[in-house]
Amino acid sequence: MQTFAVHPFEAAENAQAIRQDLRAFLAEHQPQDDPVRRANCWTEFDPAFSKALGAAGYIGMLWPENYGGHERGPLERYIVLEELLAAGAPVGAHWIADRQTGPLLLRYGTEGQREKYLPGFAAGTMYACIGLSEPGSGSDLASVRTSARRTDNGWVINGQKVWTTGAHISHAMLALVRSEEGSERQAGLSQFLIDLDLPGVTIRPIIDMFGTHHFNEVFFEDVEIPHGALVGAEGEGWKQATAELALERSGPERYLSSHALLVELIDSAGPDAPPEVVATVGRLVSEMWTLRQMSMSVAAKLAGGEDPAVEASIVKDLGNTFEQELPLAIQAVVDADLADDTVLAKLLATLLQVSPSFSLRGGTREILRGIIARGLGLR
């Protein structure tokens, strides 16, 4: 039976220098306008910040230099991500392109696709979104109905995607669609990189209960795309998409979405905090540290070329549970009026409202536990 195999994370020799340089960059470039933006910061869109981050060499860190990358090590990149998220930097605009779309193009894309998109992604001036979920499908990606019909000039896309984060600011969508008529479930699916300014593409906002706009519906009506928009092999979309998801399930964003609130609690409580606050901080920090070790272990495995799908799913499930319980645990020990104008009250009110959605993105809890059960030989 497979279990969570811990892999040593050998920090880069220059780890401390990387942290110091990035903290200096953040002191100069991180917006200080609204402290609430530090919560759940990897969904905060700030194109100016992304452009500055790209110019400083912190996007596309692993990619070849001829595509605008910087050929740094994967564990160096992990340190950068951890620092950005711990600081609450607004990294949402470029996040998907840097984390998923770029690496997928390097693995499966054509030379033309890499030359067209990667330099802009690395510069922090071009963004991408992921087209997976569809109406009526929930997290069951195998029930995709959006179709691609082959023509002499390329493909014609028809259908709809929903809950698409950042589509309204993105230049392209990496979409999973059914390219083989009459196929079912995981068969007959392909991935296409679709420019979102093409005729026939309509993007409509979905405003969440907090009044913010991250999600979208995206409609495709007879959208014509060239043959060169196919990513990887025709009919191999399911395999490619699941490999893509492995990249997003174990990173530090899976346990740091509520981190700004914990930091604010520690700062506001001071050295003479009540015992119940001290006990809560101690418990939360110890849990976060354990998750960090697990996440770093998965990062080290990925860096070594392994496919830790089960371990990544465990990190995401436990990490999302931690992120969702953190604001509830803090609310239980502080006397905070959520209508107050203090930073602590604002962060707490925000995370109490948005944290229930954390376990939906990147695969629901039910999907993840199914993957874990299969990995353990239980189904």
Side-chain angles (χ1 to χ4, degrees):
M1 176 183 293
Q2 180 181 352
T3 59
F4 193 102
V6 176
H7 195 289
F9 182 98
E10 298 178 3
E13 293 181 358
N14 58 344
Q16 194 55 37
I18 294 172
R19 293 188 191 279
Q20 290 175 350
D21 289 346
L22 185 53
R23 289 173 188 178
F25 170 87
L26 290 170
E28 181 177 354
H29 294 281
Q30 183 175 359
Q32 302 294 325
D33 50 349
D34 183 359
V36 171
R37 298 184 70 197
R38 300 202 309 267
N40 197 25
C41 66
W42 59 284
T43 63
E44 285 291 332
F45 307 129
D46 189 326
F49 180 81
S50 291
K51 184 177 181 180
L53 198 68
Y58 292 119
I59 304 177
M61 288 182 64
L62 311 185
W63 307 350
E65 290 183 353
N66 57 312
Y67 299 129
H70 306 283
E71 301 187 4
R72 305 286 293 271
L75 303 187
E76 290 179 296
R77 180 174 178 271
Y78 189 96
I79 292 170
V80 168
L81 297 184
E82 186 179 57
E83 286 287 331
L84 289 169
L85 295 170
V91 295
H94 67 270
W95 191 257
I96 299 299
D98 184 37
R99 183 182 66 180
Q100 289 173 243
T101 316
L104 193 92
L105 289 183
L106 286 171
R107 184 172 182 179
Y108 297 112
T110 65
E111 187 62 22
Q113 290 166 343
R114 294 169 185 160
E115 291 177 349
K116 178 178 178 181
Y117 294 103
L118 291 183
F121 290 168
T125 55
M126 288 184 71
Y127 316 123
C129 59
I130 304 169
L132 294 175
S133 298
E134 296 189 1
S137 297
S139 293
D140 181 13
L141 299 182
S143 62
V144 161
R145 290 177 295 177
T146 296
S147 66
R149 176 173 54 83
R150 187 194 294 273
T151 69
D152 291 340
N153 297 320
W155 301 82
V156 176
I157 307 294
N158 279 286
Q160 179 187 353
K161 297 293 180 181
V162 71
W163 305 117
T164 310
T165 302
H168 59 299
I169 64 158
S170 294
H171 300 82
M173 172 193 285
L174 185 62
L176 182 69
V177 308
R178 196 162 293 285
S179 55
E180 180 182 338
E181 187 176 0
S183 61
E184 296 182 354
R185 304 301 294 168
Q186 293 92 342
L189 297 172
S190 299
Q191 285 187 302
F192 293 88
L193 198 52
I194 304 171
D195 291 337
L196 294 179
D197 60 353
L198 289 173
V201 177
T202 302
I203 301 172
R204 295 177 182 168
I206 298 175
I207 306 301
D208 62 25
M209 62 186 292
F210 197 59
T212 54
H213 177 199
H214 299 109
F215 300 121
N216 301 272
E217 294 177 288
V218 183
F219 299 86
F220 301 99
E221 185 175 357
D222 293 328
V223 178
E224 298 181 5
I225 58 175
H227 289 295
L230 174 67
V231 178
E234 182 180 345
E236 293 292 316
W238 177 263
K239 176 183 175 182
Q240 295 174 195
T242 51
E244 176 191 358
L245 286 172
L247 298 172
E248 73 160 298
R249 285 181 171 156
S250 60
E253 68 269 32
R254 295 306 177 190
Y255 61 90
L256 289 175
S257 299
S258 301
H259 184 67
L261 176 59
L262 178 59
V263 172
E264 186 61 29
L265 172 67
I266 295 171
D267 288 345
S268 61
D272 300 319
E276 62 272 21
V277 172
V278 173
T280 298
V281 168
R283 177 173 67 82
L284 292 173
V285 169
S286 63
E287 291 178 4
M288 182 179 69
W289 194 258
T290 302
L291 285 163
R292 181 174 186 259
Q293 300 307 305
M294 296 172 71
S295 173
M296 293 168 76
S297 171
V298 174
K301 276 196 158 189
L302 286 167
E306 298 182 46
D307 180 17
V310 173
E311 291 94 330
S313 297
I314 292 173
V315 170
K316 182 182 181 304
D317 188 25
L318 294 178
N320 285 160
T321 299
F322 172 76
E323 292 179 328
Q324 291 175 327
E325 289 184 353
L326 190 148
L328 295 172
I330 291 177
Q331 186 184 32
V333 296
V334 299
D335 184 21
D337 182 341
L338 298 183
D340 278 352
D341 199 35
T342 64
V343 174
L344 181 66
K346 289 181 176 180
L347 287 169
L348 181 57
T350 299
L351 286 166
L352 285 171
Q353 293 177 82
V354 303
S355 60
S357 69
F358 292 173
S359 55
L360 299 177
R361 53 196 185 192
T364 63
R365 190 163 277 130
E366 291 75 15
I367 294 293
L368 295 172
R369 292 181 180 178
I371 295 172
I372 296 167
R374 278 195 297 276
L376 296 177
L378 300 176
R379 58 179 295 194

